[in-house]
């Protein structure tokens, strides 16, 4: 059995994730393809992920590829999370992940309507969705507010968990639009503000994707996704793939068997790799990177000790979201944050020597310069971020 140790896994990460200097990606589509999507829950993360991997990257480069050329698209996929993926992978993602997410979301939405007194929830929802799609097709693009004005039933009010601190009452519009997006009927288009905005215009799926999303067999889609993921993230464990894709154990094992994955040793654990991907990987030149919250590399595996080490508690929030991280030669070594004045505060969590510390300082300065007057607030704060933002930090 081929043994692949931590050092080689870190070398593969540096090269295949476009983080080592000699392995940079050529553009946004190239990066989204290799990484199997860019985590897009927080829009700033998409752009910072690309900045870390593409020489000379600017926000308008992604905007052109996405909004003008329609080469990448935002889709709800793995683990019920929004990703930016290449359009030519949309059908694979839909059949391997999104369709299951859509079914789960629909059951919850129908149940919510029933709990709020709608005894014809299935039929009512289907009719509302039809009218929304027809309206959006006529308009071409519209925000949630504009669609709610054109289709008043989107303003239907529902109450959720009123006995809980997080409960409340609100319009159903965003839930319905999320359902239509998960079903592959509409997609998130241009934001209403600059690239940091979380408010989007919705568009019919046909504006972006020509291939029917159900044109791929689900089992074939799972195998395709597993094979392509392993080429970037492998070798990896069965648990890694299952967690990353949001699959059942049966789906995971079936996909690994279909692609003929080979079992390898990972420092005492059982891992998997593609059969033609067992050759040793040469270490790249030393590198450092500042990656944003929920970067696809940081969230690429369930078992993270080999690149995260003892820093989990400092860099994750209570819900399991990783914040901005500092990387050196394939492992996490610290965290960073943007202060209100735009400066980048950073902290190494271990002693790496003067050369590496100076390289991190230069990279932090490059991130600060790149962001310019852009300010952003992550959707969550990790312990390291909070401490870096304290006045005396």
């Amino acid at each position: 059995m081929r043994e692949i140790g931590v050092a080689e896994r870190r070398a593969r990460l540096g090269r295949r994730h476009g983080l080592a200097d000699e392995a940079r990606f050529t553009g946004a589509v190239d990066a989204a393809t290799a990484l199997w999507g860019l985590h897009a829950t927080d829009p700033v993360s998409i752009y910072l992920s690309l900045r870390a991997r593409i020489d000379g990257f600017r926000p308008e480069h992604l905007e052109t590829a996405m909004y003008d050329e329609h080469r990448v698209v935002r889709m709800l996929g793995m683990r019920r999370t929004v990703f930016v993926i290449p359009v030519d992978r949309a059908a694979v993602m839909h059949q391997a992940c999104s369709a299951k997410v859509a079914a789960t979301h629909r059951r919850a939405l129908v149940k919510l309507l029933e709990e709020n007194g709608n005894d014809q929830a299935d039929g009512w929802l289907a009719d509302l969705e039809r009218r929304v799609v027809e309206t959006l097709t006529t308009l071409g693009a519209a925000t949630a507010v504009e669609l709610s004005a054109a289709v008043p039933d989107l303003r239907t009010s529902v109450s959720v968990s009123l006995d809980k601190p997080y409960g409340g009452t609100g319009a159903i519009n965003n839930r319905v639009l999320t359902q239509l997006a998960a079903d592959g009927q509409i997609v998130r288009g241009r934001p209403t503000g600059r690239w940091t905005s979380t408010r989007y215009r919705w568009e019919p799926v046909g504006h972006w994707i020509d291939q029917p999303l159900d044109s791929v067999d689900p089992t074939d889609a799972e195998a395709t996704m597993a094979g392509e993921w392993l080429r970037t993230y492998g070798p990896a464990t069965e648990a890694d793939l299952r967690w990353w894709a949001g699959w059942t154990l049966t789906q995971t094992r079936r996909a690994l068997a279909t692609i003929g994955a080979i079992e390898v040793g990972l420092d005492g654990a059982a891992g998997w790799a593609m059969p033609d991907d067992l050759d040793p990987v040469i270490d790249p030149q030393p590198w450092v990177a500042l990656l944003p919250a929920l970067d696809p590399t940081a969230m690429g595996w369930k078992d993270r000790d080999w690149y995260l080490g003892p820093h989990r508690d400092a860099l994750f929030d209570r819900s399991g979201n990783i914040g901005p991280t500092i990387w050196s030669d394939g492992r996490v070594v610290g965290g960073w944050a943007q202060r209100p004045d735009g400066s980048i505060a950073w902290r190494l969590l271990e002693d790496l020597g003067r050369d590496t510390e100076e390289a991190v300082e230069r990279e932090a300065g490059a991130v600060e310069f790149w962001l310019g007057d852009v300010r952003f607030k992550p959707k969550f704060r990790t312990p390291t971020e909070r401490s870096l933002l304290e006045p005396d930090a």
Side-chain angles (χ1 to χ4, degrees), residues 53-88:
R53 296 172 167 89
I54 301 169
D55 292 331
F57 173 77
R58 298 299 306 163
E60 55 266 27
H61 298 160
L62 176 59
E63 292 173 336
T64 296
M66 185 180 297
Y67 306 127
D68 298 330
E69 300 172 349
H70 290 177
R71 298 174 65 199
V72 290
V73 63
R74 284 183 177 87
M75 284 186 65
L76 193 67
M78 299 80 75
R79 307 184 309 279
R80 294 178 295 176
T81 299
V82 178
F83 288 85
V84 168
I85 65 164
V87 166
D88 61 10

Side-chain angles (χ1 to χ4, degrees), residues 16-170:
R16 298 183 180 186
H17 289 238
L19 295 168
D21 288 343
E22 62 265 46
R24 310 279 280 176
F25 295 127
T26 59
V29 180
D30 183 29
T33 299
L35 296 169
W36 237 110
L38 303 165
H39 202 294
T41 299
D42 188 336
V44 177
S45 290
I46 311 168
Y47 293 87
L48 288 173
S49 291
L50 293 173
R51 190 219 68 86
R53 296 172 167 89
I54 301 169
D55 292 331
F57 173 77
R58 298 299 306 163
E60 55 266 27
H61 298 160
L62 176 59
E63 292 173 336
T64 296
M66 185 180 297
Y67 306 127
D68 298 330
E69 300 172 349
H70 290 177
R71 298 174 65 199
V72 290
V73 63
R74 284 183 177 87
M75 284 186 65
L76 193 67
M78 299 80 75
R79 307 184 309 279
R80 294 178 295 176
T81 299
V82 178
F83 288 85
V84 168
I85 65 164
V87 166
D88 61 10
R89 283 185 169 171
V92 170
M93 176 182 274
H94 182 78
Q95 292 294 78
C97 299
S98 306
K100 178 182 175 182
V101 170
T104 300
H105 189 273
R106 180 171 295 279
R107 288 193 294 270
L109 182 53
V110 168
K111 181 180 178 181
L112 176 62
L113 289 168
E114 292 172 343
E115 290 172 347
N116 278 266
N118 190 327
D119 57 4
Q120 302 291 329
D122 272 316
W124 184 86
L125 179 59
D127 178 67
L128 173 58
E129 290 173 319
R130 177 188 57 77
R131 286 183 283 133
V132 170
V133 172
E134 288 178 352
T135 299
L136 190 57
T137 300
T138 299
L139 296 175
T143 64
V145 172
E146 291 167 342
L147 284 170
S148 296
V151 186
D153 278 347
L154 281 174
R155 298 199 294 263
T156 299
S157 181
V158 291
S159 298
V160 182
S161 303
L162 294 180
D163 59 333
K164 305 291 185 182
Y166 55 81
T169 300

